[in-house]
Amino acid sequence: MLKLFDSYTKKKRAFRPLRKGKVTFYGCGPTVYSSVHIGNLRTFLFYDLLRRLFEFSKLEVTQVMNITDVGHMMADADEGEDKMEVSAKESGQSPQEVAEFYARQFFRDIDRLNFRRADVYPKASEHVTEMIRLIGRLLDRGHAYKVRHGDGGTSVYFDVSTFPDYGKLSGNRLDDLNPGARIEVRDEKRHPADFSLWIHNPKHLMQWEAPWGSGYPGWHIECSAMAIKYLGETIDVHAGGEDNKFPHHECEIAQSECATGHEFSRYWLHVTHLLVDGEKMSKSKGKFFTLDDLLEKGFSARAVRYLLLSSHYRQTLNFTMHGLDSATATLDRLDSFADTLNRHSGNGKGVRVNPAVAARKGFVAALNDDLNVPNALAVLFDYVREANERMAKDELTVSERSDADRLMKTVGQLLGFTFGRTVGDDDVSSSVKALVEKREQARKEKAFSEADRIRLELLDRGYEIEDTSDGPVIKRK
Ligand code: AMP
Ligand code: ZN
């Protein structure tokens, strides 16, 4: 039975989806004003792991991850400049060009990290109609109010005093949300915690027409509108990084529940920040690593994936290069275990209780306990250590060998790896596959220097190609 720690009730709860056998899952995606960093990727990898676990539990998953390309203000505050516009002005491009560039980079990164793709990646700018409709519902129900500006334009705010549960997720109480800290006071607001649903600002580059006038949507309304559109008015799981809890998710709950009259999400999951030098890895502080930075240093995307996944998602993880070295060494150990297993005769006498079966059970049970990867890995490593000893003495039986193989496949399926030097088809990115094909083509055309250039490029990315009579086999370096 899968248990998840729900930030709303602050309890580990048995997971029961609304509809039997199906899960609806929304995770806040990237704001595409700059490259995603490995902190963002820690959160996104958590979504990937959760999706894999749902699928492993035979649940049919519908997963949505938004692409924010309008309305997300600097410092996550309710005023200031839109991150997209700041980036557009700095680069001399349009916000759309900036969004397209970084969204492409994001997809390339998640491909290289072997993500299972979500079902939909909706862009905020393509769902403004749905947002306007939702804001209209809030105005009709008396949960939002309009403010007229001197130039005749109109902004719309959510009225937090109409939602007594406001603050329940983050633990912030309305009385304490006084002017200052994160929420800037604007005279036009009735309460300092009221937040923008629609912003009138003629200087903003991106503008849409709403019944109350032109402007652009606030960040929070985007996720509510897209979640409701693709997943329905009540979803099973909503996730994000811990900084999303407040104000973003708090505001999403308020506006969604006030608009629909139903519970918005049944489980709220939050990933603890990835730190670097003891501080939150963040774009705005300029203290971050991208996947590219680490690949350039010679680490594999696989090691990055392992490092980010191997600690529990609610535990602080301080990123270091040393951590990546250890991740690389651990993967080597698991690859070599898988290779030895593959070669092993399996002629040994073995033990009465098959420890590979117990290890597989223990591994899955640990993941079902709020995705406790460290505990799952501890079970795996105990087994690997013991099985290595028995293989060295030739004591593994045929049945244990096949159960150990099944264990490694389960670990790989859940954590997103294939083990062993020979790389499985699902464990290599489409760009590596494309390079291998290109090399094959060059060889056929006898363009040997081009083939060699590609071979070196693959080597640089951590792969060796072995040419066999059945075609090229990809091996890890
Ligand atoms: P953003 O692109 O800023 O909208 O962030 C995308 C996602 O990454 C959000 O769910 C954030 O909560 C999450 N995030 C941002 N910084 C970190 C970090 N250092 N560690 C983990 N998750 C983060
Ligand atoms: Zn969101």
Side-chain angles (χ1 to χ4, degrees), residues 81-95:
E81 267 201 284
D82 185 328
K83 294 184 181 192
M84 293 305 304
E85 299 222 339
V86 173
S87 180
K89 281 177 197 154
E90 275 171 10
S91 65
Q93 291 179 308
S94 68

Side-chain angles (χ1 to χ4, degrees), residues 2 108 132 201 213 224 364 367 387 416 462:
L2 173 59
R108 194 196 55 190
I132 292 175
N201 175 1
S224 293
V364 173
L367 284 187

Side-chain angles (χ1 to χ4, degrees), residues 109-130:
D109 280 1
I110 66 169
D111 259 5
R112 291 196 294 204
L113 286 168
N114 196 28
F115 272 62
R116 303 262 301 107
R117 286 274 182 126
D119 299 273
V120 198
Y121 291 95
K123 280 197 205 133
S125 64
E126 290 172 3
H127 295 79
V128 179
T129 311
E130 286 82 355

